[in-house]
Amino acid sequence: QKEVEQNSGPLSVPEGAIASLNCTYSDRGSQSFFWYRQYSGKSPELIMFIYSNGDKEDGRFTAQLNKASQYVSLLIRDSQPSDSATYLCAVNQGNKLVFGAGTILRVKS
Amino acid sequence: EAQVTQNPRYLITVTGKKLTVTCSQNMNHEYMSWYRQDPGLGLRQIYYSMNVEVTDKGDVPEGYKVSRKEKRNFPLILESPSPNQTSLYFCASSLERVGGYTFGSGTRLTVV
């Protein structure tokens, strides 16, 4: 069983819609959760982090964490074509940061 | 500009020829890490370092070495590269022990 699981997609949404990206993890001791965005041919860039149960909002992005269900999600409101990218979920395991394989998001105009 | 600099960006080499990929950060970050990225497998951690002279294995350390003699530099060494080490490599650094990483631009390595 993979330690951090994401649906590979592609997830296609129309411009202006809400994109919902999901991630599950296996280590109950994990405390830190991150979302990175990676455009094709580029390096990953951090867009959100969350440490506590509940929601955390930053502009059009909302990260949601449920430690009991070992589930973290990213919502992108008012999706734009420029949001089309691969979204990587990352979870700490002790000193290590473990990444999921990523979900491809396509926003169609 | 705050950044992580990797060199080279592209490298084609032959099996068994030792090579070093350099990584340098100018943000005074204590925590540095090397990842490789392969299609379908995502980013996998090779080695990480929590400070000068402190390094530890990640999930796929076989065939790689690292050193951390200075805070800003964290080179990745392949003593005897093999074709299964053909991959896209990223160096990353962060201020916190496990925090938000700043990634370098990547090194695409091909071993023939």
Side-chain angles (χ1 to χ4, degrees):
Chain A
Q1 180 185 359
K2 292 191 71 174
E3 296 167 335
V4 180
E5 297 257 18
Q6 296 181 254
N7 189 319
S8 62
L11 173 66
S12 293
V13 300
E15 184 175 357
I18 295 175
S20 178
L21 302 159
N22 304 314
C23 172
T24 58
Y25 61 94
S26 61
D27 183 359
R28 284 199 170 273
S30 296
Q31 298 293 321
S32 307
F33 307 86
F34 304 87
W35 284 99
Y36 288 79
R37 177 177 62 200
Q38 187 175 25
Y39 292 113
S40 180
K42 300 294 186 182
S43 55
E45 60 176 321
L46 179 69
I47 53 173
M48 288 287 288
F49 61 88
I50 186 166
Y51 301 149
S52 303
N53 274 331
D55 294 359
K56 179 182 178 182
E57 187 174 317
D58 183 2
R60 296 186 296 112
F61 299 100
T62 299
Q64 299 175 317
L65 175 61
N66 184 326
K67 290 185 180 179
S69 300
Q70 296 175 247
Y71 177 94
V72 58
S73 64
L74 179 71
L75 301 178
I76 307 174
R77 290 182 299 281
D78 188 24
S79 295
Q80 301 296 309
S82 59
D83 294 325
S84 297
T86 297
Y87 289 80
L88 306 171
C89 173
V91 178
N92 84 291
Q93 289 186 355
N95 291 327
K96 298 192 294 184
L97 192 64
V98 180
F99 284 80
T103 298
I104 298 170
L105 174 65
R106 293 184 181 147
V107 181
K108 298 182 177 180
S109 58
Chain B
E1 180 188 354
Q3 61 185 357
V4 178
T5 303
Q6 289 179 234
N7 280 297
R9 291 292 307 277
Y10 301 92
L11 180 60
I12 301 174
T13 190
V14 296
T15 298
K17 185 176 181 181
K18 181 180 178 180
L19 66 93
T20 299
V21 183
T22 63
C23 175
S24 180
Q25 51 92 5
N26 62 1
M27 296 167 282
N28 203 35
H29 286 172
E30 291 191 351
Y31 198 78
M32 297 186 73
S33 188
W34 276 102
Y35 284 87
R36 60 178 289 175
Q37 187 172 37
D38 302 288
L41 297 176
L43 284 159
R44 294 179 292 167
Q45 194 170 37
I46 303 170
Y47 271 95
Y48 61 94
S49 170
M50 289 186 284
N51 213 325
V52 176
E53 302 292 1
V54 181
T55 63
D56 207 348
K57 296 177 180 178
D59 292 321
V60 288
E62 296 78 19
Y64 304 95
K65 286 176 57 177
V66 293
S67 68
R68 188 92 181 272
K69 294 185 171 59
E70 306 166 280
K71 196 170 187 178
R72 63 184 292 130
N73 296 322
F74 191 44
L76 179 69
I77 303 158
L78 285 73
E79 295 269 3
S80 182
S82 62
N84 65 11
Q85 293 179 296
T86 293
S87 186
L88 177 59
Y89 291 87
F90 287 105
C91 180
S93 73
S94 72
L95 190 59
E96 299 176 12
R97 186 180 67 179
V98 182
Y101 277 123
T102 299
F103 279 82
S105 299
T107 296
R108 187 166 293 281
L109 172 66
T110 302
V111 183
V112 298

